[in-house]
Amino acid sequence: MKKNFDTKTVHLSNKDTKNVDSKVTPIYQTSAFKFNDLEDLENFYQGKKDYLYTRVGNPNTDELGQAVAQLEGAHAGVATSSGTSAILAGVLATVKSGEHIVASIDIYGGTYQLLANELTDFNIEVSFVDFSNTDEIENAIKPNTKLIYSESVTNPLLRVEDIDQVVTIAKKHQLYSMIDNTFATPYICVPYEQGVDLVVHSATKYLGGHSDVTSGVLVGNEALIQKAKVKVTNFGTNLSPFDAWLTCRGIKTLSVRMERHVKNAQALADALRSHPGVAKVYYPAYVSEKGNGAIVSVDITGLCDVKTFFKSLSWVKIIPTLAGVETTVSYPLTTSHRALPKEAQDKLGITEGLVRISVGIEDATDIIEAFVNAINESLQ
Ligand SMILES: *Cc1c(COP(=O)(O)O)cnc(C)c1O
């Protein structure tokens, strides 16, 4: 049928990818998928066609969910708009109104806000306890507890979770377990293989790796991920196709990036441990044979002037995130842990001189020099 101009501008030729064979998955930047006739449409509901509407599913978000599931040794995965919404999807897949969660007290600040301030509105109760003490975990479990939540390596003090212990307690009390594996990444630690039910990532961090995308992924068994997908669809917390594509691109270099990140972090932690301007270095002694991660926190309270320290960091910038290829610093007291009650900050060690360093992939000598200089200049 001949089209007039206004119709032509709208109906561009659709370059479907069927015979293109591109090396990399194309970006399916589309909000919906087309159907040739009503039978074709029915095929979607019969499970014979994969895609209907991007909020429900999209090839790029599926590629990301499946990629992380494979890296974590899990059966299925779902990509979401952020790490936070991946955590929410995991919670909503396992816990209902009137039920209870036992969570570690030293979790990511944003997760604390979600669990402590938002879920209460849905009548989901959370007890925060010290997971380094098994008795505290067991004592917090109630008849309506459904989920145990923690992180494989915590932020910003790098406590390494005893995942076997979390799994043992969860199985004993027939609870779900969920672990945030953002800091360790599956390069270093694979909680699903230790029996954890759900593993969650802020893919904004190491999986994406280049600080250009906000995304999240939740992995687990088919049944739980299917439940989580329904929540993602109905709460509208799906990831955009382009952001899924960027995250997938990042994952391709995860191993080489992590190898360098980890090597540099170990070198920086070793160098700062012996420096008289540093009261304490937080860096795990052992996470796995692949290394101990790439976040190093230092406490300079009482030894250095904190403001001068941050001003003296030359090329290292203050950026309240982590896991990019560049070395950056953040200040937990006024950013990630700002919302925590003062007693909790004190208990955890979120002090006035605590600095979290996200060690990048630059030359290790340059990184060490930048920090040693800043400490020397701010020594008091
Ligand atoms: C950043 C982060 C989150 C939150 O992820 P967003 O992508 O910012 O929503 C959750 N957990 C940890 C450990 C994080 O570092």
Side-chain angles (χ1 to χ4, degrees), residues 1 66 70 74 87 91 101 124 133 137 140 142 164 179 220 223 243 252 265 282-283 311 316 324 343 351 358:
M1 210 172 82
Q66 284 157 17
Q70 276 186 18
I87 295 165
V91 167
I101 301 170
I124 292 171
N133 181 344
I137 308 177
K142 307 187 201 185
D164 287 337
I179 291 284
D243 287 348
K252 291 174 189 173
Y282 295 92
Y283 188 67
K311 279 201 186 112
V316 177
E343 317 84 75
T351 59
S358 172

Side-chain angles (χ1 to χ4, degrees), residues 99-325:
E99 294 179 339
H100 174 249
I101 301 170
V102 178
S104 170
I105 181 69
D106 53 347
I107 50 173
Y108 177 77
T111 309
Y112 178 84
Q113 294 200 49
L114 171 69
L115 299 183
N117 303 341
E118 302 299 338
L119 293 182
T120 43
D121 287 357
F122 298 90
N123 194 29
I124 292 171
E125 197 199 343
V126 187
S127 300
F128 294 95
V129 299
D130 179 359
F131 268 46
S132 55
N133 181 344
T134 314
D135 290 344
E136 279 203 32
I137 308 177
E138 295 241 36
N139 291 341
I141 294 170
K142 307 187 201 185
N144 63 341
T145 305
K146 278 282 148 25
L147 175 67
I148 303 192
Y149 183 91
S150 187
E151 298 175 352
S152 46
V153 178
T154 68
N155 171 39
L157 300 177
L158 295 319
R159 185 178 65 78
V160 181
E161 190 59 86
D162 183 341
I163 291 171
D164 287 337
Q165 177 184 282
V166 169
V167 170
T168 303
I169 296 173
K171 291 212 156 61
K172 179 174 157 199
H173 297 269
Q174 295 187 310
L175 310 175
Y176 291 113
S177 54
M178 174 146 104
I179 291 284
D180 181 333
N181 200 29
T182 301
F183 269 43
T185 83
Y187 172 84
I188 288 176
C189 157
V190 192
Y192 194 80
E193 292 182 348
Q194 288 173 263
V196 169
D197 296 305
L198 288 168
V199 176
V200 70
H201 278 275
S202 170
T204 313
K205 314 294 167 48
Y206 291 109
L207 298 184
H210 296 76
S211 319
D212 50 12
V213 64
T214 299
S215 60
V217 183
L218 177 76
V219 304
N221 68 26
E222 290 284 354
L224 275 180
I225 293 304
Q226 201 44 48
K227 274 189 173 177
K229 275 187 180 167
V230 171
K231 301 299 176 190
V232 170
T233 295
N234 291 342
F235 282 79
T237 53
N238 56 294
L239 182 62
S240 87
F242 181 54
D243 287 348
W245 185 89
L246 276 176
T247 310
C248 285
R249 187 174 70 157
I251 287 174
K252 291 174 189 173
T253 56
L254 179 70
S255 282
V256 284
R257 280 185 287 113
M258 288 311 292
E259 194 180 339
R260 174 69 74 85
H261 274 300
V262 164
K263 218 169 113 208
N264 284 355
Q266 185 74 55
L268 181 67
D270 291 345
L272 297 185
R273 236 177 236 127
S274 55
H275 198 291
V278 179
K280 192 160 184 189
V281 172
Y282 295 92
Y283 188 67
Y286 183 81
V287 183
S288 85
E289 72 274 12
K290 292 290 237 2
N292 309 316
I295 308 295
V296 178
S297 291
V298 293
D299 197 338
I300 54 171
T301 309
L303 300 172
C304 299
D305 180 71
V306 178
K307 281 189 181 151
T308 312
F309 170 83
F310 278 103
K311 279 201 186 112
S312 312
L313 278 169
S314 73
W315 55 267
V316 177
K317 299 287 179 288
I318 306 173
I319 305 187
T321 185
L322 58 110
V325 289

Side-chain angles (χ1 to χ4, degrees), residues 331-363:
Y331 190 50
L333 187 65
T334 60
T335 57
S336 56
H337 290 66
R338 196 184 185 105
L340 267 192
K342 176 86 173 63
E343 317 84 75
Q345 288 174 345
D346 291 344
K347 193 172 169 213
L348 290 178
I350 313 294
T351 59
E352 181 253 324
L354 183 73
V355 181
R356 189 189 71 196
I357 307 164
S358 172
V359 182
I361 63 170
E362 303 95 338
D363 184 291

